[in-house]
Amino acid sequence: MIRLRDVSLKPAGVGQPVLHGMTLSIPQGEFRWLLGPSGAGKSSLLRLLTLGARPASGQMDILGTSVTGASRGALRNLRRRIGFVPQDYRLIGEWTVFDNVALPLRLRGRSEREIRQEVFSVLEWLDVAAYAHSRPTILSGGEQQRVAIARALIGRPDILLADEPTNALEESQARRLLSTFQELIDLGTTVIVATHNESLVREAPAQSIMLRDGTLDPQAVAP
Amino acid sequence: MSRRVSPGLRSGSLPLLVALMTLLAGLALAGLSGIQSLAAGWSQAARSAATIEIPTDIPNAPDRTDALVHALKALDGVTNIQKLSTDKVQDLLAPWLGQPVGSHKGLPGLSLPQVLIVAHAPGTDLTATVHDALPEAIVQEDLQWGQRLERLGTSLTGCAWLAVILIAAIVILSIGITVRRSVAAQKRAVDIVHSLGAADLTISSHIAGRAALLSFLGGIAGLILLTPLTTSLATTLSPFAHQSALPATFPTTLDGWWTTLSILPSSLLKELGALPLIAACLGWLTAQGVVLVWLRRLP
């Protein structure tokens, strides 16, 4: 469950809030497209939802926890329940693909045996298992994107956020990814995908969050 | 496979810096130990000696001097009496009286005193005995020199401690700057790990563990560099410290180095041995502090 009430986001050193008056509610296990022109605030909203920033004002509840007044420990536990596929992949270049993908499980204290099994399973599914012991820096954009997707999926998160997750994927891989998202939703995961890909949106019609100038475009919240 | 949950610390110049700082700290500690030892030795020697001057122009001076020497020898605590020859007294007074001309001793009309150097246990009072046997004699206890040497030793010891403290501060600063640079270089990796839910302590402990290891290795390298310098210092100071067991020249064989090292004070060897561990602790604590403060800026 994600609930925002009159939330604004104002990064340090920026005069005007990049998000303001954000009020929305997404029940657990639902899918939303996050749409809007460049600079509308999609990445800022994802940053807020991945707990990369705290709201400047308003009330934000994620998975039953009030983010506004949460302790660092509570935020840390929440982060472990959120999977994120960033647009720039955000992989650690000095680590192997395996270590990058294994990280969320290691932070949860899972055994290396389990981790090995799960990491190879997801890497095989995304067709990048051959690069498990390579550094991500030698991979193509599409391969890096799949590694980032693997890292986001590996912990079976309660919330999955993705910023343009298909922009470097082939069409068939994009479709597979959409079907994976659907499987996760069936398992109770909330999925929010930011995209500019209109054909993808047409292929999987769902409710959208439309942003314009850092706030919700009320005309486009529901399709 | 190693269990990676956080970025580490890029070594950079940290081991080299710590090695040089360990070298400086070790030299300061060795200097401190040497100064303490020398000051204690000199002070002890000065406190245990007295000079007795006997005018030679008094009646029956040689016999009365012998009587005084007998009386002093009979005194508890007196360990040695040395009667200085006239030539020796002349040599000692040469800076003030000038060199003798021909067979003339001292200045015309000025007779040189007979001088006795009396070694005694600290606390032995010679004054009464000297006064009874030879009232014209003058006793000069070297106690005041012992006190001055003690004060000198205390001042030098304070300076050496100050040097050690300054070096420790520089080590902390150097490690702090290096860790900050490393964290800044790995900001993205730290950000990623943090965003995935790593605890602050998990991240800081990984970086601090690496900082401790690099500091320890730097400390060991510093100790290796320090060994020949400490040995040289010990050899140089040995004549002043009355260390007869030390070789008179710099050791040239491994056995020679070992002999020199083995007679260094055990407290100094322990302090030097602890330097890499202290460097590792400083590295760990500094890195923890720097990283935790830095992580506090993240939400």
Side-chain angles (χ1 to χ4, degrees):
Chain A
M1 177 78 171
I2 297 171
R3 184 177 291 150
L4 276 68
R5 264 170 291 178
D6 201 23
V7 163
S8 68
L9 174 65
K10 190 178 162 196
V14 177
Q16 293 295 315
V18 291
L19 290 176
H20 52 92
M22 295 287 301
T23 299
L24 62 89
S25 178
I26 306 169
Q28 194 59 29
E30 293 216 354
F31 181 89
R32 293 287 187 277
W33 291 113
L34 178 56
L35 306 172
S38 294
K42 298 193 294 295
S43 294
S44 297
L45 179 58
L46 287 176
R47 193 165 156 240
L48 204 57
L49 296 177
T50 52
L51 310 176
R54 291 207 199 208
S57 63
Q59 180 68 35
M60 183 165 101
D61 297 335
I62 291 183
L63 298 169
T65 301
S66 168
V67 171
T68 321
S71 66
R72 289 180 75 81
L75 288 183
R76 182 188 67 218
N77 290 335
L78 265 185
R79 284 189 186 104
R80 292 181 185 179
R81 298 172 66 188
I82 298 170
F84 181 43
V85 185
Q87 197 171 5
D88 60 355
Y89 322 132
R90 289 173 65 82
L91 300 171
I92 300 175
E94 293 84 359
W95 293 12
T96 62
V97 164
F98 182 94
D99 283 331
N100 269 280
V101 177
L103 183 56
L105 298 183
R106 283 182 175 152
L107 290 174
R108 291 176 194 189
R110 300 274 285 275
S111 76
E112 280 305 304
R113 202 174 137 197
E114 276 180 292
I115 289 170
R116 194 172 171 77
Q117 205 174 341
E118 289 196 36
V119 169
F120 274 102
S121 162
V122 74
L123 288 179
E124 274 162 20
W125 183 80
L126 285 158
D127 214 14
V128 281
Y131 305 115
H133 299 298
S134 306
R135 293 192 170 191
T137 42
I138 65 157
L139 305 185
S140 69
E143 287 160 345
Q144 288 191 46
Q145 190 160 42
R146 279 180 275 160
V147 174
I149 292 166
R151 187 184 58 192
L153 296 178
I154 190 102
R156 297 188 198 289
D158 294 315
I159 295 174
L160 179 68
L161 306 162
D163 197 357
E164 303 284 2
T166 59
N167 63 355
L169 298 185
E170 291 169 15
E171 214 175 305
S172 61
Q173 289 168 335
R175 280 203 197 96
R176 271 182 81 187
L177 188 60
L178 280 181
S179 70
T180 305
F181 287 161
Q182 188 55 56
E183 285 170 29
L184 286 172
I185 291 160
D186 294 342
L187 290 170
T189 301
T190 303
V191 179
I192 300 175
V193 178
T195 186
H196 281 109
N197 189 336
E198 288 177 9
S199 65
L200 198 69
V201 176
R202 276 197 300 274
E203 202 163 311
Q207 284 192 37
S208 302
I209 303 164
M210 179 65 111
L211 294 182
R212 194 174 299 277
D213 298 330
T215 192
L216 283 175
D217 185 346
Q219 293 175 337
V221 170
Chain B
M1 186 178 294
S2 65
R3 200 174 163 85
R4 298 189 87 158
V5 289
S6 171
L9 180 80
R10 285 177 186 160
S11 59
S13 53
L14 184 62
L16 180 66
L17 268 172
V18 174
L20 291 175
M21 292 303 153
T22 303
L23 179 66
L24 282 176
L27 281 175
L29 284 173
L32 174 69
S33 171
I35 288 163
Q36 280 175 330
S37 167
L38 288 179
W42 289 341
S43 172
Q44 174 70 22
R47 281 168 180 274
S48 307
T51 307
I52 300 173
E53 290 170 29
I54 305 160
T56 46
D57 53 359
I58 57 170
N60 204 13
D63 291 343
R64 293 175 70 191
T65 302
D66 288 343
L68 173 62
V69 170
H70 279 295
L72 287 171
K73 276 183 179 169
L75 201 62
D76 277 346
V78 172
T79 52
N80 186 39
I81 300 174
Q82 188 191 354
K83 196 188 284 183
L84 294 190
S85 66
T86 314
D87 287 342
K88 183 75 177 168
V89 174
Q90 178 67 52
D91 287 345
L92 289 171
L93 295 176
W96 292 275
L97 302 182
Q99 290 298 324
V101 179
S103 61
H104 186 80
K105 303 290 181 190
L107 290 172
L110 177 68
S111 57
L112 294 179
Q114 172 74 64
V115 176
L116 301 177
I117 306 291
V118 182
H120 59 80
T124 309
D125 187 10
L126 307 178
T127 318
T129 309
V130 173
H131 186 74
D132 288 348
L134 195 55
E136 296 89 343
I138 300 162
V139 181
Q140 283 192 342
E141 285 284 356
D142 293 344
L143 187 65
Q144 56 178 329
W145 286 105
Q147 286 168 339
R148 284 174 189 168
L149 282 170
E150 236 177 38
R151 281 200 290 272
L152 174 68
T154 308
S155 308
L156 291 173
T157 304
C159 290
W161 271 119
L162 193 64
V164 171
I165 291 166
L166 277 175
I167 289 164
I170 293 169
V171 170
I172 291 171
L173 204 65
S174 309
I175 293 171
I177 291 168
T178 307
V179 170
R180 271 183 70 89
R181 272 197 203 140
S182 173
V183 172
Q186 303 217 57
K187 183 178 181 299
R188 190 169 173 277
V190 171
D191 265 347
I192 292 169
V193 173
H194 174 79
S195 71
L196 290 170
D200 291 357
L201 264 179
T202 305
I203 298 171
S204 63
S205 297
H206 266 74
I207 293 174
R210 179 98 174 127
L213 177 68
L214 291 173
S215 302
F216 181 75
L217 294 177
I220 295 284
L223 267 194
I224 292 168
L225 291 174
L226 182 67
T227 307
L229 291 173
T230 313
T231 317
S232 301
L233 192 66
T235 312
T236 309
L237 289 179
S238 64
F240 304 101
H242 312 290
Q243 291 275 24
S244 57
L246 276 180
T249 54
F250 294 135
T252 50
T253 61
L254 202 61
D255 276 352
W257 288 108
W258 180 246
T259 307
T260 309
L261 271 181
S262 63
I263 58 166
L264 289 175
S266 62
S267 59
L268 174 63
L269 290 175
K270 281 178 194 165
E271 284 165 7
L272 295 181
L275 282 178
L277 292 174
I278 293 169
C281 288
L282 287 177
W284 191 88
L285 284 171
T286 311
Q288 277 282 4
V290 168
V291 176
L292 283 175
V293 166
W294 190 79
L295 284 170
R296 281 277 150 191
R297 294 180 193 169
L298 299 178

